[in-house]
Amino acid sequence: MNYRTLGRTGLQVGEIGLGTEHVVREDQGMVNNVAAMAIEAGMNYFDFFWPQRDFRTKMGTALKGKRNDILLAGHLGVMEKNGQYSKTRDVATCEDDFHDFLRRFDTDHVDIMMLHNVDEMADLEEVLYGKFMELAARLKGEGKARYLGFSSHEPLIAQRAAQSGLVDVIMFSMNPAFDALGNMFPDNVEQESQKRMHELTRTDSQSVLAQRKDFYAVCEQEDIGLVAMKPFAGGWLLSTRKLKHPPTSTQCLEFLLDQKVVSTVVPGAKNTDELADVLRYFEASAQQRDYSTILAMNDWDLGKSCMYCNHCLPCPVQINIGETIRLLDQGLQKLTGEVKDAYRKLEVKAGECISCGACVKRCPFGIDPMQRMYDAKALFRM
Ligand code: SF4
Ligand code: SF4
């Protein structure tokens, strides 16, 4: 493992860290194995955003006795609501949830306290300049967080955070599709995104790709530690479902690590096989790392690709939207008995959707989850 400096925090972080969200469905044994394998490989940056308390307990158990081997990033601004992920800015709830996080990880502090998932200007104001920030600053003052971070998917919002002087680390979605080619989004989403950017800046249409580059330049100027999330676009980049010749995980990682502004990349392995695939990067030859061919590809079309991140929750009828869409995508490719069984085991099926539309506004990737629920109901007939 090579180590890089996490911006002005001065912390030394492995070039590849661990995003923990996809191991959420696994049992204690697999969570233990993923954590141990990551630490053994020299990964020392662990990001943990899930509010589900039983999953925190599992990961806390997996890290027992290893707390000093890792830098722990925990998120402020999430809560568990009826067993589901939910974003919140309610200060009392956030404080309660954060203390639950510390208890379940059996620690008295996090290394980075991420101000969680800020993609709207009004939310940025609330998070950085209101009672939410007062809480974050107080918890930091009490020694419960060493540094403040900020997570976002929107370059203009992230740039404002980088310029605020209030946060030292930013977690941002990055990968070759988003950053080299800028054609991840279908036309309508691009227009929607441009419209949103226009509302934010009151300037004309600067491309989202240029905005991303501007954001990275600000990170360099301000010495922000940049944490790259979604390096494989929720797995789509590695799949032949959308790309005829998908890149390898090694090529995606090399692309990101070639951006010197990136301190660490945090792929979310869901089991030891996926983690082993990530770790192949370290044994790869220069030829295997070479990503020039993927930049020349002309079939990048990840439009309407769900990242299965569940940022669109909570759902009032308790649908696990990310998992439902994941099974829908698998089923659309091949409707096997295994996929049908996995769908049958979902506690709440897409057919229960009451079309409230709450999820549609929350998706940072321009997906219409409600429509995907209709599609899932049609495919699985329940
Ligand atoms: S619909 Fe959007 S927010 Fe929901 S899981 Fe998919 S990408 Fe994430
Ligand atoms: S539209 Fe359907 S899936 Fe989305 S939050 Fe409402 S009930 Fe849940």
Side-chain angles (χ1 to χ4, degrees):
M1 178 70 69
N2 295 319
Y3 292 84
R4 296 184 179 191
T5 304
L6 186 64
R8 61 192 181 215
T9 70
L11 297 171
Q12 295 301 299
V13 290
E15 285 179 333
I16 301 178
L18 190 68
T20 53
E21 70 271 27
H22 292 303
V23 78
V24 65
R25 288 182 291 275
E26 301 297 332
D27 62 17
Q28 184 69 58
M30 181 56 80
V31 176
N32 291 350
N33 291 343
V34 167
M37 191 172 169
I39 291 171
E40 173 71 23
M43 289 176 164
N44 68 344
Y45 186 95
F46 278 46
D47 180 81
F48 196 101
F49 85 82
W50 276 122
Q52 274 89 343
R53 298 189 167 193
D54 60 338
F55 182 41
R56 286 178 176 175
T57 301
K58 269 192 228 168
M59 187 55 82
T61 303
L63 291 173
K64 219 166 187 56
K66 299 175 179 140
R67 176 67 185 90
N68 294 334
D69 297 336
I70 64 161
L71 296 166
L72 183 60
H75 290 233
L76 189 72
V78 278
M79 64 181 281
E80 183 175 30
K81 191 172 181 184
N82 300 323
Q84 289 198 313
Y85 162 94
S86 179
K87 187 162 91 170
T88 178
R89 304 303 182 218
D90 178 77
V91 169
T93 305
C94 290
E95 181 165 10
D96 176 61
D97 186 83
F98 181 71
H99 284 119
D100 175 80
F101 182 100
L102 294 182
R103 271 194 302 278
R104 286 171 196 267
F105 279 87
D106 194 20
T107 184
D108 60 1
H109 74 282
V110 293
D111 296 284
I112 311 295
M113 179 193 278
M114 283 287 173
L115 312 181
H116 178 72
N117 191 10
V118 186
D119 284 338
E120 302 286 344
M121 190 55 81
D123 195 26
L124 175 115
E125 292 291 330
E126 190 173 353
V127 165
L128 289 189
Y129 304 106
K131 290 193 181 315
F132 188 85
M133 178 52 98
E134 282 172 25
L135 170 66
R138 175 163 61 77
L139 291 169
K140 183 174 176 236
E142 290 168 1
K144 292 170 183 163
R146 293 170 70 192
Y147 300 97
L148 296 187
F150 184 93
S151 71
S152 177
H153 311 84
E154 291 285 358
L156 287 183
I157 299 286
Q159 183 172 332
R160 288 280 293 267
Q163 288 166 325
S164 70
L166 296 169
V167 297
D168 300 313
V169 178
I170 294 184
M171 187 181 190
F172 191 67
S173 37
M174 298 177 73
N175 61 52
F178 293 5
D179 286 290
L181 304 155
N183 61 353
M184 150 84 185
F185 301 110
D187 289 347
N188 60 329
V189 175
E190 177 73 12
Q191 281 160 13
E192 202 41 51
S193 183
Q194 293 289 356
K195 201 171 117 213
R196 201 156 150 201
M197 293 303 162
H198 179 71
E199 282 163 8
L200 294 175
T201 59
R202 311 206 178 282
T203 60
D204 60 4
S205 58
Q206 190 189 15
S207 81
V208 173
L209 200 53
Q211 287 163 357
R212 297 174 75 87
K213 288 194 170 134
D214 288 350
F215 162 56
Y216 303 144
V218 170
C219 285
E220 283 198 286
Q221 279 159 24
E222 301 292 330
D223 202 11
I224 295 287
L226 189 60
V227 177
M229 62 172 157
K230 312 263 188 313
F232 313 134
W236 283 110
L237 283 181
L238 312 181
S239 156
T240 49
R241 276 184 276 161
K242 290 257 180 170
L243 303 173
K244 254 188 259 156
H245 305 290
T248 62
S249 57
T250 292
Q251 288 173 307
C252 294
L253 291 167
E254 181 74 350
F255 170 83
L256 290 171
L257 292 172
D258 262 359
Q259 324 296 314
K260 68 178 181 354
V261 66
V262 170
S263 296
T264 184
V265 185
V266 287
K270 74 167 179 262
N271 53 40
T272 45
D273 287 346
E274 285 195 1
L275 186 54
D277 181 55
V278 166
L279 295 175
R280 273 187 208 109
Y281 173 80
F282 295 108
E283 287 144 28
S285 64
Q287 195 184 2
Q288 287 166 327
R289 290 184 180 195
D290 179 12
Y291 55 81
S292 54
T293 50
I294 64 174
L295 300 187
M297 284 164 44
N298 60 8
D299 65 343
W300 293 77
D301 177 13
L302 300 186
K304 304 281 185 197
S305 300
C306 174
M307 305 283 141
Y308 317 129
C309 61
N310 264 338
H311 287 338
C312 48
L313 293 179
C315 163
V317 294
Q318 305 291 304
I319 297 172
N320 180 338
I321 298 175
E323 183 62 3
T324 302
I325 300 179
R326 192 177 70 79
L327 293 170
L328 169 64
D329 287 336
Q330 285 180 0
L332 288 173
Q333 192 192 19
K334 197 167 184 195
L335 194 53
T336 61
E338 203 182 327
V339 175
K340 283 187 199 165
D341 274 356
Y343 186 82
R344 250 181 246 119
K345 283 185 191 146
L346 290 176
E347 277 176 35
V348 186
K349 312 290 186 289
E352 302 293 316
C353 172
I354 55 169
S355 307
C356 72
C359 53
V360 180
K361 287 175 279 190
R362 296 190 194 117
C363 176
F365 297 103
I367 310 296
D368 181 345
M370 189 163 69
Q371 180 59 49
R372 303 303 316 269
M373 293 307 106
Y374 303 156
D375 297 345
K377 181 184 175 188
L379 183 72
F380 294 107
R381 297 169 193 271
M382 60 178 107

